[in-house]
Amino acid sequence: MRQIAVLPYRTDSPAVDAPINILLITTRGTGRWVIPKGGQVGKLPPHASAAQEAEEEAGVLGAACPTSIGSFRYRKKRASGATVWTDVDVFPFAVTEELDSWKEQHERERRWFTLAEAAEAVDEPDLRALIRSFGAREFRAAAQGRIIINTISTVGKKTGISAMFGWIQKLLPQQGNFFELFEQHAATLVAGADALARLAQGGPNKAEHIREIEEREHDADDITREVLHAVRRTFLTPFDRGAITDLIGAMDDAIDEMQQTAGAVDLYEIEEFEPEMRDMCAIIVDAARLTAEAIPLLRKVADNGHRLHELTERLVRMEGHADEIHAAGLKRIYKQLGKKDPIQFVVRQEMFKRLERVVDRFEDVANEIDGLVIDHS
């Protein structure tokens, strides 16, 4: 038997080190803590069915990423008393709104947990492991590091330079604050993606969401300029200068594409978004989250190579999924609008193209990070 579920999450801020909170609900029978789950509804895609379960069982709305983060297995008890093994596919769900009333409000309790508390609260071992893996396994240790090279011998091993040059390098001042700037930029990606997802959900706050994206894009431009200045004035850099500029450039392209997408929404006065567009926005939200997890791990790239490869592999897989959604959405609106309203079709086609570009830029970021892993692990 198969079911679908969401892992509802939120963060206190867009900062890359902001703690992740997980929303759990109780079962109606035993009162155990679980995540919203159920059977697939009609012809709805799995992630859309899971989002519907989140609204009915937990009273939350948000962006459900169409790419599953994994699955877990548990024994489901039937009305007859018999039990059956059930496999549950889990989709990340960025919560944007908590409803005051919902369908199963009086049948379940809902509560926000820290990532560690949520993992301990659930009974299923596979689900516990899935929740723990949702956060960076070595995130805090990596984010707290401030020294790129800890010992002279480490310098030699990682860079291939002589011990003597490593000794000289230790004596020279380290002026570049590249990691802090990378992390600040990643925070703009998270905030911009969140605003883009809210924009795609519609509602009366359209202008506010567009303004938020524009402001984060301006912040990102300032950070990018500072990185480029730092590359020119810093004698010793943690990575090759070209790799640094390529990485910050790919990140900046992602927020630029978000801003251009928001600009197109304003220009064409779009009020309603196709379901495939909302799905692509949900992928963008998760791509930004994964990028924000990956960037601090670059402080100790040799130690975190395996985790970084996992994250970049997932980003590339999500880009492929977004391409499929893009193609399906274009095909559907062509049948619906191609002959009846060609101008509106062109407008919608342009919106799909812009969203696809955002996801493509995150794949570029993944490729740049992969290059750093290959060079320094």
Side-chain angles (χ1 to χ4, degrees):
M1 184 174 177
R2 298 201 70 85
Q3 288 185 323
I4 41 80
V6 293
L7 185 64
Y9 72 93
R10 70 180 183 189
T11 55
D12 297 332
S13 75
V16 293
D17 59 348
I20 294 175
N21 295 316
I22 302 295
L23 184 70
L24 300 180
I25 59 174
T26 55
T27 60
R28 285 180 288 194
T30 61
R32 294 182 300 107
W33 289 107
V34 294
I35 57 177
K37 64 182 186 301
Q40 190 165 343
V41 181
K43 295 183 178 180
L44 281 179
H47 70 284
S49 296
Q52 185 170 309
E53 294 292 337
E55 181 177 356
E56 294 177 358
E57 296 183 356
V60 288
L61 305 177
C65 180
T67 305
S68 167
I69 57 172
S71 62
F72 70 95
R73 173 173 287 190
Y74 78 105
R75 279 197 172 276
K76 180 177 177 61
K77 190 173 183 179
R78 294 183 176 275
S80 63
T83 60
V84 59
W85 279 112
T86 304
D87 292 313
V88 186
D89 294 321
V90 182
F91 300 88
F93 185 80
V95 174
T96 58
E97 183 179 353
E98 293 183 58
L99 304 177
D100 294 327
S101 60
W102 62 96
K103 184 176 180 180
E104 300 183 14
Q105 179 177 6
H106 303 295
E107 302 174 49
R108 304 176 186 271
E109 179 184 352
R110 70 178 180 188
R111 185 189 305 172
W112 286 100
F113 293 81
T114 66
L115 203 64
E117 290 171 345
E120 290 300 318
V122 299
D123 289 343
E124 297 80 5
D126 290 346
L127 178 57
R128 185 177 298 123
L130 200 63
I131 291 174
R132 284 176 176 154
S133 70
F134 192 68
R137 293 183 300 198
E138 297 168 284
F139 185 89
R140 293 197 181 279
Q144 289 169 357
R146 288 296 182 269
I147 301 175
I148 308 308
I149 303 168
N150 295 319
T151 65
I152 295 172
S153 62
T154 304
V155 174
K157 290 177 182 178
K158 290 184 180 178
T159 65
I161 60 178
S162 69
M164 178 58 74
F165 187 79
W167 177 74
I168 295 173
Q169 184 177 24
K170 289 291 290 180
L171 295 178
L172 290 170
Q174 299 294 318
Q175 298 177 357
N177 58 336
F178 297 104
F179 294 113
E180 288 86 350
L181 293 171
F182 286 151
E183 291 164 20
Q184 290 173 23
H185 201 296
T188 70
L189 295 178
V190 173
D194 179 69
L196 185 63
R198 292 175 185 271
L199 178 62
Q201 290 173 12
N205 298 320
K206 171 182 169 182
E208 177 183 332
H209 300 324
I210 292 174
R211 185 169 59 253
E212 170 73 9
I213 295 169
E214 290 174 344
E215 290 174 355
R216 298 294 75 77
E217 192 272 337
H218 294 328
D219 292 341
D221 281 345
D222 292 340
I223 296 166
T224 301
R225 279 193 293 271
E226 190 169 348
V227 170
L228 297 179
H229 288 318
V231 166
R232 288 194 292 270
R233 66 174 180 255
T234 304
F235 180 68
L236 293 172
T237 56
F239 306 124
D240 179 80
R241 296 170 192 275
I244 291 174
T245 57
D246 287 347
L247 175 58
I248 198 65
M251 294 172 67
D252 201 51
D253 287 345
I255 190 71
D256 285 347
E257 292 291 354
M258 290 186 212
Q259 190 273 330
Q260 292 194 30
T261 301
V265 171
D266 188 36
L267 174 65
Y268 298 127
E269 299 182 345
I270 294 175
E271 300 297 335
E272 294 184 3
F273 294 79
E274 306 296 330
E276 295 88 354
M277 292 180 188
R278 292 195 293 271
D279 288 347
M280 293 178 75
C281 286
I283 286 179
I284 291 167
V285 169
D286 209 37
R289 178 185 66 82
L290 294 177
T291 301
E293 177 181 336
I295 292 301
L297 300 181
L298 293 176
R299 291 179 179 272
K300 297 180 180 178
V301 63
D303 296 335
N304 298 316
H306 180 69
R307 178 59 173 172
L308 284 166
H309 180 68
E310 288 178 348
L311 295 172
T312 56
E313 188 179 57
R314 178 167 164 77
L315 282 167
V316 172
R317 189 164 66 249
M318 289 164 63
E319 190 276 336
H321 196 172
D323 283 346
E324 295 172 3
I325 294 170
H326 174 221
L330 273 183
K331 185 175 182 179
R332 186 181 62 79
I333 64 169
Y334 177 74
K335 290 181 178 179
Q336 183 180 354
L337 300 172
K339 296 181 180 179
K340 185 173 66 174
D341 193 345
I343 294 179
Q344 191 58 225
F345 168 72
V346 170
V347 169
R348 299 283 165 166
Q349 182 185 39
E350 177 68 14
M351 286 303 304
F352 272 115
K353 185 186 299 182
R354 291 187 180 277
L355 288 169
E356 183 187 31
R357 286 174 181 167
V358 179
V359 184
D360 286 346
R361 299 295 79 77
F362 277 107
E363 184 185 27
D364 293 342
V365 172
N367 291 336
E368 295 299 334
I369 293 173
D370 253 346
L372 290 173
V373 173
I374 292 170
D375 289 342
H376 295 273
S377 291

